[in-house]
């Protein structure tokens, strides 16, 4: 195109702008028949998800909003203006539909950016404007961190009812062609639906277009930072039963694991909304903390059994039969030297030999000295028998504690494993 033609085009464009807006008002709805509704078409392009605030239930997103309509007062014959078919002018020059986001949650309420509109010779206007929106979104964290969210973006006219503006969606879904991938959320889709609602304030219908943003959380970050550490710490709790009772660290291990899980629980609670819906990982934490509390209480009880002194009662027959025989065999708990015989019978035999041979060998000794010697030997033998009985009784209680420790260790290992599988199964 020669410079002269470009100059002519510029003059035609200036003349066209002057002629179009000489008697034009942007305050009135641009229709020839005021009884007919003006068709407005809406199309939303999702460019980026900036933030999802689960605690305040607010979605911040970057959108490109395209609105098209027909302005009956802004038409021209392109042949009369050097073949100009379209011009770009500031959007404030023309009438614009007051389409806003109904579920806006921004404290500084603002509309779209003041961009240019594309005006064609047949009166069709296309207005593309970017907008950073904060919309309210009902967040369901029941399966956090394996959750998905459905956030709705509802657009509609604030003052024009359905008899004045007929709002429709251009496509059945939002445009995701230029979407920038988010590190935390995966977008599964963005279907669009048109709704016509009659509100309590007015009798006229108000159409709106609702885009439902389908999101799924990328759970890798939370698995490696919240779930796996909790599972590993949970598997430490049953090992408290394996520690020797004399080490003095059995209760300390349970309390330490309980404090660690409390820290993880607080980290999850800080980012979740204060609702009645408890997240899946929170339920896992609570169940694990309950299990560790129970294991610590059982450890204290078993330590009390282990430290039964010589004055304790003998092990009941049912406990000896159930714990020392069946459960000990089941848990592979054996003690060295359990089958050794007590020296009572041997001592008694030797004493009997002494009693029989004493008078035969020394019939002339004084019987009073012989009786005193027998009483002393009997006293020493009785003390020895009582000492061995106390040792045997104490050893039996220690074995009962050891068998119970080993039994509960495997029980709690199984509980931790089943809870971990249950959490992963619900996540799937």
């Amino acid at each position: 195109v020669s410079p002269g033609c470009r100059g002519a085009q510029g003059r035609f464009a200036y003349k066209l702008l002057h002629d179009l807006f000489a008697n034009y008002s942007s305050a009135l709805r641009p229709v020839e028949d005021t009884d007919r509704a003006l068709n407005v078409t809406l199309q939303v392009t999702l460019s980026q998800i900036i933030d999802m605030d689960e605690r305040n239930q607010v979605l911040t997103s970057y959108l490109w909003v395209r609105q098209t309509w027909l302005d009956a007062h802004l038409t021209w014959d392109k042949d009369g203006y050097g073949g100009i078919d379209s011009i770009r002018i500031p959007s404030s020059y023309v009438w614009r539909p007051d389409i806003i986001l109904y579920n806006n949650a921004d404290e500084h309420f603002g509309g779209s950016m003041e961009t240019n509109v594309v005006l064609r010779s047949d009166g069709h206007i296309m207005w593309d404007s970017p907008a950073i929106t904060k919309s309210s979104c009902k967040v369901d964290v029941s399966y956090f961190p394996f959750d998905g969210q459905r956030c709705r973006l509802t657009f509609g006219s604030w003052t024009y009812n359905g008899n004045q503006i007929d709002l429709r969606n251009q496509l059945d879904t939002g445009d995701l062609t230029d979407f920038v991938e988010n590190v935390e959320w995966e977008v599964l889709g963005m279907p669009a639906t048109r709704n016509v609602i009659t509100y309590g304030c007015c009798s006229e219908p108000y159409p709106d277009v609702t885009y439902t943003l389908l999101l799924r959380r990328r759970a890798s970050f939370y698995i490696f930072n919240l779930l796996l550490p909790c599972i590993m710490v949970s598997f430490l709790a049953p090992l408290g039963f394996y520690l020797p009772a004399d080490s003095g660290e059995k209760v300390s291990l349970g309390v330490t694991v309980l404090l660690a899980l409390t820290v993880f629980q607080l980290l999850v609670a800080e980012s979740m909304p204060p609702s009645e819906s408890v997240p899946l990982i929170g339920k896992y934490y609570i169940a694990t903390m309950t299990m560790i509390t129970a294991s610590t209480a059982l450890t204290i009880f078993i330590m009390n059994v282990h430290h039964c002194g010589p004055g304790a009662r003998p092990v009941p027959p049912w406990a000896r039969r159930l714990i020392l025989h069946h459960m000990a065999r089941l848990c592979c708990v054996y003690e060295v030297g359990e089958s050794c015989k007590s020296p009572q019978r041997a001592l008694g035999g030797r004493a009997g030999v002494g009693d029989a041979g004493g008078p035969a060998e020394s019939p002339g000794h004084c019987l009073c000295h012989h009786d005193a010697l027998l009483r002393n030997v009997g006293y020493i033998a009785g003390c020895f028998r009582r000492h061995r009985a106390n040792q045997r009784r104490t050893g039996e209680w220690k074995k009962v504690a050891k068998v119970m420790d080993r039994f509960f260790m495997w029980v709690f290992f199984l509980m931790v494993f089943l809870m971990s599988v249950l959490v992963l199964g619900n996540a799937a």
Side-chain angles (χ1 to χ4, degrees):
V1 182
S2 63
C5 292
R6 286 197 296 268
Q9 288 285 339
R11 289 193 297 272
F12 281 127
Y14 182 82
K15 183 177 184 301
L16 173 61
L17 184 64
H18 181 270
D19 293 343
L20 285 176
F21 294 96
N23 297 312
Y24 181 83
S25 174
S26 61
L28 300 177
R29 191 165 55 97
V31 290
E32 294 289 350
D33 186 0
T34 56
D35 294 332
R36 298 185 60 182
L38 176 66
N39 295 325
V40 177
T41 304
L42 180 69
Q43 178 60 28
V44 172
T45 299
L46 179 63
S47 177
Q48 185 180 0
I49 296 176
I50 300 176
D51 181 48
M52 167 66 87
D53 188 354
E54 292 93 345
R55 188 168 185 82
N56 296 316
Q57 303 188 75
V58 173
L59 172 67
T60 305
S61 55
Y62 180 42
L63 306 176
W64 300 344
V65 182
R66 169 173 291 184
Q67 304 175 47
T68 57
W69 65 93
L70 176 64
D71 194 322
H73 303 310
L74 296 178
T75 60
W76 70 90
D77 183 9
K78 59 183 179 181
D79 294 332
Y81 293 93
I84 296 178
D85 184 55
S86 63
I87 58 173
R88 287 161 176 80
I89 56 177
S91 59
S92 58
Y93 283 19
V94 301
W95 175 90
R96 295 172 296 180
D98 55 345
I99 305 297
I100 64 170
L101 181 64
Y102 279 177
N103 56 331
N104 195 309
D106 194 354
E107 56 184 4
H108 304 291
F109 193 88
S112 302
M113 187 179 296
E114 294 291 336
T115 56
N116 290 341
V117 298
V118 179
L119 176 59
R120 303 186 65 85
S121 60
D122 56 359
H124 279 91
I125 297 178
M126 183 175 63
W127 182 26
D128 289 333
S129 60
I132 296 178
T133 61
K134 289 186 177 181
S135 58
S136 58
C137 177
K138 185 179 180 181
V139 179
D140 184 11
V141 293
S142 300
Y143 292 94
F144 175 86
F146 306 99
D147 57 327
Q149 304 299 333
R150 299 170 62 91
C151 294
R152 291 177 173 82
L153 302 170
T154 303
F155 294 90
S157 174
W158 190 252
T159 58
Y160 293 105
N161 57 52
N163 299 325
Q164 297 168 326
I165 287 183
D166 186 13
L167 181 63
R168 295 186 177 273
N169 48 303
Q170 184 175 353
L171 299 175
D172 293 334
T173 180
D175 189 3
L176 302 175
T177 306
D178 299 310
F179 177 69
V180 179
E181 291 293 334
N182 188 269
V183 295
E184 184 179 0
W185 296 95
E186 179 184 0
V187 177
L188 303 180
M190 194 178 178
T193 57
R194 180 179 181 271
N195 308 298
V196 179
I197 301 176
T198 301
Y199 296 97
C201 66
C202 316
S203 59
E204 299 86 1
Y206 281 83
D208 65 67
V209 175
T210 300
Y211 291 88
T212 305
L213 190 59
L214 306 179
L215 303 174
R216 183 171 61 190
R217 192 189 302 271
R218 303 181 191 270
S220 301
F221 173 82
Y222 299 97
I223 290 176
F224 285 102
N225 291 276
L226 290 180
L227 190 58
L228 285 183
C230 174
I231 293 176
M232 290 188 290
V233 169
S234 300
F235 273 101
L236 286 178
L239 291 178
F241 292 106
Y242 195 73
L243 279 176
D246 297 328
S247 65
E249 298 295 332
K250 295 170 71 70
V251 178
S252 300
L253 177 61
V255 173
T256 303
V257 173
L258 188 62
L259 291 176
L261 289 177
T262 304
V263 172
F264 283 115
Q265 174 71 13
L266 291 176
L267 290 177
V268 174
E270 286 179 356
S271 59
M272 294 295 101
S275 63
E276 295 182 356
S277 178
V278 181
L280 181 64
I281 191 172
K283 295 178 181 178
Y284 178 72
Y285 286 163
I286 293 298
T288 307
M289 291 166 66
T290 304
M291 184 199 67
I292 294 174
T293 302
S295 68
T296 305
L298 282 173
T299 299
I300 295 174
F301 171 75
I302 294 173
M303 287 182 65
N304 190 24
V305 173
H306 175 84
H307 290 287
C308 284
R313 293 181 301 174
V315 177
W318 66 267
R320 182 179 290 107
R321 183 172 57 255
L322 175 64
I323 299 177
L324 296 183
H325 293 128
H326 299 294
M327 290 179 59
R329 192 178 300 113
L330 178 65
C331 300
C332 302
V333 178
Y334 300 103
E335 295 291 343
V336 179
E338 287 183 352
S339 60
C340 294
K341 293 182 179 180
S342 175
Q344 296 176 8
R345 186 173 303 173
L347 289 174
R350 286 194 296 269
V353 171
D355 292 342
E361 293 176 357
S362 304
H365 286 89
C366 181
L367 293 178
C368 62
H369 291 289
H370 184 71
D371 293 339
L373 180 61
L374 289 178
R375 285 195 300 269
N376 292 333
V377 172
Y379 176 75
I380 294 173
C383 290
F384 182 75
R385 284 194 298 269
R386 287 192 298 271
H387 178 69
R388 288 301 300 266
N390 291 335
Q391 280 188 335
R392 186 168 57 252
R393 188 182 305 119
T394 303
E396 285 183 346
W397 281 115
K398 287 185 177 181
K399 186 177 179 182
V400 168
K402 187 173 183 180
V403 172
M404 293 175 65
D405 264 336
R406 196 65 55 86
F407 174 74
F408 284 118
M409 181 188 73
W410 291 115
V411 168
F412 278 90
F413 263 130
L414 181 62
M415 290 175 61
V416 172
F417 176 76
L418 290 179
M419 282 194 299
S420 303
V421 171
L422 184 62
V423 168
L424 296 178
N426 285 334

